[in-house]
Amino acid sequence: MNIKWNADKYNRDFSFVHQYGQGVIDLIDFNGKSTAIDLGCGNGVLTKALKEKGLSVTGIDSSEEQLRIARELYPDISFIAADAVSLSVRNPVDIVFSNAVFHWIDKDKQQTMLSSISRSLKEGGQLVFEMGGHGNNSLIHSALSDVFERHGYIYIMPFYFPSIGEYSAMLEAAGMEVTYAVLFERPTELKGDNGLADWIRMFIRTPFSIIGDKEEENTIILEAADILRKNLFKNGKWYLDYVRLRMKAIKSN
Ligand code: BEZ
């Protein structure tokens, strides 16, 4: 995963990503635990929240732009540039936490990533995370697929949104035992009249790489937003059709 973010816009207009992360932190058992990794830490807001729980925590992200912001905001926390797939630590930790990151990893790299995480955990250590789950943004991807086809292109959905069963099997294969799993819908409000088009521009990048013409790209986004208006625009506000997968798994042997 190597996306170049407009980190300022991300943090200003899409701050709900971190706000919802607080609920994921509540799944952690902090009793007697001292060390943690925030995998895909972004701007470090949740890394800071973990530190405030008394943990010695390291934030890891592949985006230098997000890390620059995290280091500026929280100079007392260690932030390291690394890819989630090849996580490797000298000293295994009590907790690996991750919010809204795993769906960015290609399906064929997920097992490698989960095995690296498992190796980075102490025996009995916790992996606690939220990601997009099965059915996430299905209306958005279906509308984009229709509009791409209308313009003579094939839309390739760039994310991995697993079911509880599918991901549980991968966690177990990586040597972790699932102790909590929930898949739930969370319609998520966006800011502004162009909220959905802005969100698509910010987050759905790779499918547009085949288009090459900025004007046509913009037309496609606006046509998709037009299709989606009847389902995702309510009482003057745009909502994302989010489905979240929250899980907790314990490193076993
Ligand atoms: C998500 O958090 O579900 C998500 C964010 C950006 C793009 C796709 C999915």
Side-chain angles (χ1 to χ4, degrees), residues 67 160 234:
L67 287 171
Y160 173 58
K234 297 193 177 104

Coordinates of all heavy atoms in Angstrom, one line a residue, residues 67 160 234:
L67 N 3.1 10.6 8.5 CA 4.0 10.5 9.6 C 4.6 11.9 9.9 O 4.8 12.2 11.1 CB 5.2 9.6 9.2 CG 4.8 8.1 9.2 CD1 5.9 7.3 8.6 CD2 4.5 7.6 10.6
Y160 N -10.2 -4.8 -0.1 CA -10.5 -6.2 0.3 C -11.5 -6.1 1.6 O -11.0 -5.6 2.6 CB -9.2 -6.9 0.7 CG -9.5 -8.3 1.3 CD1 -10.2 -9.3 0.7 CD2 -9.0 -8.6 2.6 CE1 -10.5 -10.5 1.3 CE2 -9.2 -9.8 3.2 CZ -10.0 -10.8 2.5 OH -10.2 -12.0 3.1
K234 N -29.5 12.2 2.1 CA -30.7 12.2 2.9 C -30.7 13.5 3.8 O -29.7 13.8 4.5 CB -30.8 11.0 3.9 CG -30.8 9.7 3.1 CD -31.2 8.5 4.0 CE -31.3 7.3 3.1 NZ -30.2 6.4 3.1

